[in-house]
């Protein structure tokens, strides 16, 4: 339950409840609480935590916004701008996306990494990222038969 999750959050993180409410977030049941994690040795290092617990699909999602207690008012609206807009995802263009997977390919001819990546139809906008993935520079010569990593859609 949301209350059990809230109680566990407070206990597990040594938090003191300041206030709580039970709004609907994106039409879903939620429990929102503000709590403090007090630092006895240095009260200026005490933290304030805004926690959103949102129940959806048999799960409880937790979103925390944490700052120094003294800075909380400054960050509260930023935290809320994210947390208040939690919604059930219904856009099929975002739901029906295949994940990218790392694939290992054998280099067919000796060439600079950039050229090898082009030969595997990797978009130039991703070449630098793929160079890092392979621990190389784009100008590095890659020998024929070398195994390199590229990225593709699952199942492709």
């Amino acid at each position: 339950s949301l209350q059990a999750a809230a109680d566990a959050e407070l206990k597990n993180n040594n938090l003191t409840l300041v206030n709580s409410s039970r709004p609907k977030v994106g039409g879903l049941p939620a429990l929102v609480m503000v709590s403090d994690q007090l630092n006895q040795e240095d009260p200026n290092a005490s933290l304030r935590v805004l926690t959103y617990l949102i129940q959806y699909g048999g799960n409880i999602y937790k979103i925390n916004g944490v700052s120094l207690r003294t800075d909380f008012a400054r960050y509260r609206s930023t935290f809320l701008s994210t947390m208040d807009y939690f919604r059930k995802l219904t856009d099929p263009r975002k739901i029906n996306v295949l994940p990218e997977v790392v694939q290992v390919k054998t280099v067919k001819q000796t060439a600079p990494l950039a050229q090898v990546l082009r030969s595997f139809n990797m978009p130039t906008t991703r070449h630098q990222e793929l160079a890092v993935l392979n621990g190389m520079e784009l100008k590095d010569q890659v020998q024929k038969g070398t195994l390199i990593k590229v990225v593709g859609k699952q199942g492709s």
Side-chain angles (χ1 to χ4, degrees):
S1 76
L2 286 170
Q3 189 59 55
D7 293 343
E9 177 75 3
L10 293 169
K11 181 181 178 192
N12 294 340
N13 295 294
N14 196 26
L15 299 169
T16 303
L17 183 65
V18 174
N19 62 55
S20 68
S21 62
R22 288 184 163 263
K24 293 271 187 191
V25 175
L28 302 168
L31 191 151
V32 176
M33 61 184 174
V34 175
S35 56
D36 289 336
Q37 188 178 66
L38 301 174
N39 184 324
Q40 303 298 338
E41 294 175 15
D42 182 2
N44 290 328
S46 294
L47 302 176
R48 178 145 291 176
V49 183
L50 175 62
T51 302
Y52 270 52
L53 298 167
I54 304 167
Q55 195 162 16
Y56 173 65
N59 295 310
I60 295 176
Y61 294 87
K62 176 178 72 170
I63 308 170
N64 281 333
V66 181
S67 73
L68 288 173
R69 205 164 92 175
T70 53
D71 294 336
F72 185 76
R74 184 169 29 148
Y75 293 111
R76 182 177 168 76
S77 63
T78 302
F79 297 151
L80 292 173
S81 70
T82 300
M83 297 170 179
D84 279 341
Y85 292 99
F86 184 95
R87 300 282 184 273
K88 178 181 175 183
L89 184 60
T90 58
D91 183 344
R93 293 174 300 165
K94 294 179 181 167
I95 294 172
N96 299 324
V97 174
L98 291 175
E100 289 188 326
V101 294
V102 175
Q103 301 170 340
V104 178
K105 302 280 187 174
T106 303
V107 175
K108 293 177 178 58
Q109 68 180 39
T110 300
L113 179 60
Q115 185 177 331
V116 170
L117 293 173
R118 280 192 300 278
S119 75
F120 289 120
N121 297 317
M122 293 293 106
T124 56
T125 55
R126 302 213 51 196
H127 281 190
Q128 188 57 49
E129 168 190 9
L130 292 166
V132 170
L133 180 65
N134 283 285
M136 302 174 78
E137 298 286 332
L138 290 171
K139 63 181 175 7
D140 290 351
Q141 283 289 344
V142 183
Q143 297 301 313
K144 178 181 178 179
T146 301
L147 299 177
I148 67 161
K149 297 174 211 107
V150 296
V151 178
K153 295 289 184 189
Q154 186 172 338
S156 66

